[in-house]
Amino acid sequence: MTDILSRIPSATEMPENAEPTRVALKDSRWSRRSLLGTIAGVTIASGLGALDLLPWSKPKAADALTEWTDGCHGYFNSSTVCTPSSAVYTNNCSGSWHKDDSSHWSGCGRYKYWPDTTSCAGRNAWRWTGSVARRKCSDGWYMYYDCGGSNTNITLFSICRTAI
């Protein structure tokens, strides 16, 4: 153990065979490569900073109703896009519009779809464009006959939700 400790140099006494450290002094002038590199870096940083001032470099606004706002402004929810979630969302689209189909209105298993032309100020659809959703929602109704239960027509609010 004493052998290892004896080999550690002292912080206060200089060793017997110590040589001075050789430090090369560098010329204080810039080389051509350093100067051109600095100029290029400053130019690129200035250009990127200037791009921040342009209108299209600004962050986008939050998703918003972009069409047919009167009467439909409460229908956006970032998780469901077309609300309310209690609406029927399946088999009710004809292309990107709500289905208008009463061809299955016979017998016990009858059902039909029709668009609602009175909602959204008579426009039947609304759309969102933005980072969260790009959707068109066309609303209407779905009716079916409850054969095994109440033996009555049951009508449900229905939304055709399509990507745009």
Side-chain angles (χ1 to χ4, degrees):
M1 187 72 154
T2 57
D3 186 46
I4 293 174
L5 292 176
S6 66
R7 288 191 284 168
I8 298 175
S10 170
T12 57
E13 297 176 20
M14 187 166 58
E16 295 172 10
N17 56 354
E19 294 181 13
T21 306
R22 292 189 170 92
V23 177
L25 294 176
K26 188 175 180 188
D27 190 6
S28 63
R29 292 181 294 160
W30 285 34
S31 70
R32 187 179 321 176
R33 182 177 288 170
S34 297
L35 183 63
L36 290 176
T38 302
I39 291 172
V42 168
T43 304
I44 291 171
S46 299
L48 291 175
L51 285 177
D52 234 8
L53 302 174
L54 298 173
W56 58 80
S57 66
K58 302 276 188 261
K60 298 281 186 202
D63 290 334
L65 187 63
T66 58
E67 200 172 278
W68 306 328
T69 56
D70 35 343
C72 299
H73 54 271
Y75 286 94
F76 180 75
N77 177 315
S78 62
S79 62
T80 59
V81 179
C82 301
T83 60
S85 58
S86 59
V88 175
Y89 287 100
T90 56
N91 299 322
N92 57 357
C93 293
S94 175
S96 66
W97 294 96
H98 196 281
K99 193 182 281 187
D100 189 5
D101 181 12
S102 59
S103 63
H104 303 285
W105 196 250
S106 64
C108 187
R110 61 186 177 225
Y111 62 91
K112 67 179 178 178
Y113 297 93
W114 69 97
D116 184 358
T117 57
T118 62
S119 67
C120 297
R123 293 189 174 104
N124 179 21
W126 56 99
R127 71 177 175 161
W128 285 271
T129 57
S131 61
V132 174
R134 293 187 54 78
R135 297 275 187 265
K136 180 169 83 172
C137 304
S138 175
D139 58 351
W141 297 96
Y142 165 67
M143 180 188 292
Y144 69 95
Y145 184 73
D146 185 17
C147 297
S150 61
N151 291 327
T152 59
N153 292 331
I154 297 176
T155 304
L156 301 170
F157 181 61
S158 174
I159 299 176
C160 169
R161 177 175 51 199
T162 56
I164 53 173

